[in-house]
Amino acid sequence: MKILKNTPELNRATIFLSKSARVCAMTTMPPQFPLEIRSALRRASSTVYFHCSIGTVTPPSFRHRTTLFRPRAFSSSSVKLPTKPSLCTADELHYVSVPNSDWRLALWRYLPPPQAPTRNHPLLLLSGVGTNAIGYDLSPGCSFARHMSGQGFETWILEVRGAGLSTRVSDLKDVEESAHKLSNRIESTARAAAGKETSSDEKQATDIVDSSAPASDVSVVGEASAWDESQLVARLTSTFMRLSERLSGFLSEGQSVFMSAKLFDKIAMLVDDTQLYERFNEIRSKLLSLIESRQNSGLVNQIRDLAQRLVNLFDDGQRSVSPPLIDLQERLTATIEDFQKQLDLIVKYDWDFDHYLEEDVPAAIEYVRAQSKPKDGKLFAIGHSMGGILLYAMLSRCAFEGREPSVAAVATLASSVDYTTSDSALKLLIPLANPAEALSVPVVPLGALLAAAFPLSTRPPYVLSWLNDLISSTDMMHPEMLEKLVLNNFCTIPAKLLIQLTTAFREGGLRDRSGKFYYKDHLPRTSVPVLALAGDRDLICPPAAVEDTVKLFPENLVTYKLLGEPDGPHYAHYDLVGGRLAVEQVYPCITEFLSHHDSA
């Protein structure tokens, strides 16, 4: 091993958290979270709402496979956009299709200038968890992607599913329209979050917050209101059938039972301590039995009959219970609607780390190879945070399968596959590793929460100033760049993804979704040169975590560099990419490493 000596107000940009998701997520936040973090997230969540715009959902037949990934030819439906949206500051914006999916992944392309040296390999950049391409290209003077293209490397940034301008559309002709809509939304809501304008989304969010009284607060005065009984019966029947069918394969049997019980618990809150409770329990018992049994073709009629009985029970409560439960039906309707939204989130955000590894990254690699045509068919790849973890996992898979990797060399920035011996701040996510928590909190709106907390970390009385230390060390990032990073770079994270990533904090390190394949086990057999960089003040991926992974590689293939000096400057998690000294101290190290391995 070669060791080199040291030479926000509100972001409603990529995420809008709905009243239902907000109440569900924030009221069930694990108590193991430190009090100040729970308080900050609750404050942030009280002003954010969610808007799902990722389109239709792929049938799940391909989703839960556990076979190892193989490189695939890129889809003929992949495309370069004739006009890229304003958010994209690259030279070109391409979209690549993911096989057996309606996801179109965004690829930002940076072309080397004519005077740049000629290189033999294109360069693929992979971002961290819940982030988009902007972190690699914050401004013309703070752009790792532009710097590397200036060094002669044709540079591509991949935005994985759910990130940035990647979109889920069924028809390729809709990609351009979707890209421009996503771009406009991110830019306008970021400006609103910075206080530079008031968007229509902001007013809508305020309206939602003002009307978000908990569904369990039952009034007992006033007069009963009319309701659409047939419509509610249809909604209940549809919801129970979705649970019975386990969301067409998205839920296991145990998960379906858990979600069913959770729905009935919510409904039970509406009739608790009333004369209706015993009748409700009888209906609940029969419905749960039917949902679990999935018995026969007559299931729909039986569920519909029980849904009708449930509606009738609430109608009786409206008219005959003393004192009458006013607005009970409307509250039942709201409860069902909120629960349906949660089911939709589970379906729409149904991916994990292995989906990135087995589907997204191979699709991007094949597309870049086809576009750039390197003589040896290989790329250079650089990954920050989770992006580097993906590269480590890819090398491990290739070594295990005895395949030649499609990369000539890789560099990782603040990445590790084993955090067990380090004191990483990411250990706060471990409580979310409970699968039941993933159903209760199907997504973590990281971007919205960070941006909502940003003013509290940058303005007096600086109650959340410690959040800045997770991103950048003191004075290492220009304030405008830090603001842009926080307000534009972070996205929504599926809980399933976090569940898999938290295995990196358990004995043996990061595992695949089956829990049987340990990615660190096969890294000693890789043949690919690796440069691993760490920041001395990185609280997310401490140097100890990086070093534990570095030790796994053959000494002649790995180079490790720790950035930062005892008396400063210091490097936190994002300083390696966008810090003000990165262009002088980090980028040259990477360029030198890649140049050394750039033979044809």
Side-chain angles (χ1 to χ4, degrees), residues 430-497:
I430 292 177
L432 292 176
N434 184 338
E437 291 289 353
L439 295 175
S440 298
V441 190
V443 296
V444 176
L446 178 65
L449 297 175
L450 284 179
F454 184 66
L456 302 178
S457 67
T458 57
R459 302 170 191 169
Y462 304 104
V463 293
L464 295 180
S465 59
W466 54 269
L467 280 175
N468 291 344
D469 295 333
L470 296 177
I471 299 173
S472 177
S473 188
T474 303
D475 296 328
M476 277 297 284
M477 189 174 286
H478 293 290
E480 316 86 67
M481 297 300 100
L482 180 60
E483 179 177 295
K484 183 173 182 179
L485 183 74
V486 172
L487 299 185
N488 293 271
N489 186 56
F490 296 96
C491 311
T492 304
I493 306 175
K496 289 182 66 173
L497 171 59

Side-chain angles (χ1 to χ4, degrees), residues 379-437:
L379 286 66
F380 287 142
I382 297 176
H384 175 251
S385 195
M386 187 191 72
I389 299 175
L390 282 166
L391 295 177
Y392 286 145
M394 182 177 67
L395 296 181
S396 177
R397 286 290 201 188
C398 289
F400 174 74
E401 298 178 19
R403 289 190 294 106
E404 182 73 13
S406 55
V407 290
V410 304
T412 65
L413 288 66
S415 303
S416 177
V417 292
D418 189 350
Y419 290 79
T420 53
T421 63
S422 70
D423 190 23
S424 169
L426 291 183
K427 288 183 177 180
L428 295 171
L429 300 176
I430 292 177
L432 292 176
N434 184 338
E437 291 289 353

Side-chain angles (χ1 to χ4, degrees), residues 510-573:
L510 183 70
R511 310 172 196 176
D512 71 350
R513 70 167 65 96
S514 73
K516 299 177 181 178
F517 187 91
Y518 293 78
Y519 287 109
K520 65 182 287 185
D521 288 352
H522 308 283
L523 291 178
R525 295 160 52 191
T526 188
S527 59
V528 177
V530 174
L531 170 66
L533 304 183
D536 65 331
R537 293 287 178 88
D538 192 335
L539 302 179
I540 292 177
C541 186
V546 179
E547 292 165 9
D548 284 345
T549 297
V550 166
K551 294 174 184 176
L552 300 171
F553 288 90
E555 288 191 5
N556 64 314
L557 290 178
V558 66
T559 302
Y560 171 66
K561 181 176 178 64
L562 175 64
L563 279 301
E565 300 285 352
D567 297 325
H570 300 292
Y571 283 80
H573 198 61

Side-chain angles (χ1 to χ4, degrees), residues 95 278 293 376 595:
Y95 278 87
E278 185 175 341
S293 67
D376 61 358
S595 299

